[in-house]
Amino acid sequence: MKNCKTFILFRLSRVCIAKHESNFNTSAIGRLNGDGSEDHGLFQISDLFWCSSTGQEKGCGLSCSELEDNDITDDVECMLKIHEEHTFLNGDGFFAWAVYRPHCQGRAESYIDGCFNSDENLISNIRPAITQPPKPT
C-alpha cells in the first residue's frame, strides 16, 4: 500500500509544480531570470541547461518551443530527466523547482482531499484498465 501512495504522491507533486510554475499554461514563458535564462512551458523548464533554440546540445535534447505546445509528452519526459538528475545530486529531484518547497512538499495530498475516506479506499478505488473476461461456466 505504501508504494501505491508514493506513486500517487509523485504524480500529485508534478501537478502541484505545474499549477504553481505555469498555472497549467503549456505555452508559458517565464520572465527573464537573473542569469539571463528563461523558463518554458508547463513545468517552466530552464533554457540554461535543459532546452535550446535548436533542440540540441542541452540536457533534454529539445527545442524550448517544444516545451511550449499542447503536447506535454516531451515536457513530462524532460521533467522526469531533471527529477532523476536532481535526485542523484541532492536526494529529492523536485528541489529543482523553486515552487516545490513552499507550495508542494508535504502538501501534494491536498489535490485529492475529500476524494477518498482513507488510505485503504485509495487503493480499492483504483481499477485496472484491462480486465480478464469471465471464465466460461
Side-chain angles (χ1 to χ4, degrees):
M1 175 153 61
K2 183 175 178 148
N3 288 339
C4 181
K5 186 172 184 177
T6 301
F7 176 79
I8 291 170
L9 290 177
F10 179 77
R11 277 151 177 74
L12 291 174
S13 293
R14 295 187 318 203
V15 171
C16 181
I17 288 169
K19 164 67 176 156
H20 292 283
E21 284 287 359
S22 68
N23 201 30
F24 303 118
N25 179 357
T26 60
S27 62
I29 300 175
R31 62 176 169 27
L32 195 61
N33 296 317
D35 59 12
S37 66
E38 289 182 317
D39 301 325
H40 302 267
L42 186 64
F43 300 113
Q44 290 295 277
I45 294 172
S46 174
D47 60 20
L48 187 61
F49 301 111
W50 302 105
C51 68
S52 67
S53 59
T54 63
Q56 302 186 15
E57 80 264 348
K58 299 221 178 159
C60 288
L62 296 170
S63 69
C64 296
S65 62
E66 289 177 275
L67 297 171
E68 298 163 12
D69 59 18
N70 288 330
D71 179 0
I72 65 167
T73 305
D74 48 9
D75 304 52
V76 172
E77 288 172 0
C78 184
M79 183 197 206
L80 292 174
K81 183 176 262 189
I82 295 167
H83 181 273
E84 181 180 337
E85 182 74 21
H86 281 263
T87 297
F88 176 76
L89 293 172
N90 67 33
D92 190 332
F94 290 124
F95 288 166
W97 286 269
V99 299
Y100 177 69
R101 285 182 180 144
H103 298 287
C104 306
Q105 186 178 22
R107 296 175 180 88
E109 287 185 43
S110 67
Y111 284 87
I112 58 168
D113 279 350
C115 294
F116 307 99
N117 293 329
S118 69
D119 285 347
E120 289 177 14
N121 284 343
L122 181 64
I123 292 177
S124 66
N125 282 317
I126 297 173
R127 303 280 189 258
I130 300 172
T131 59
Q132 293 180 346
K135 292 182 180 181
T137 54

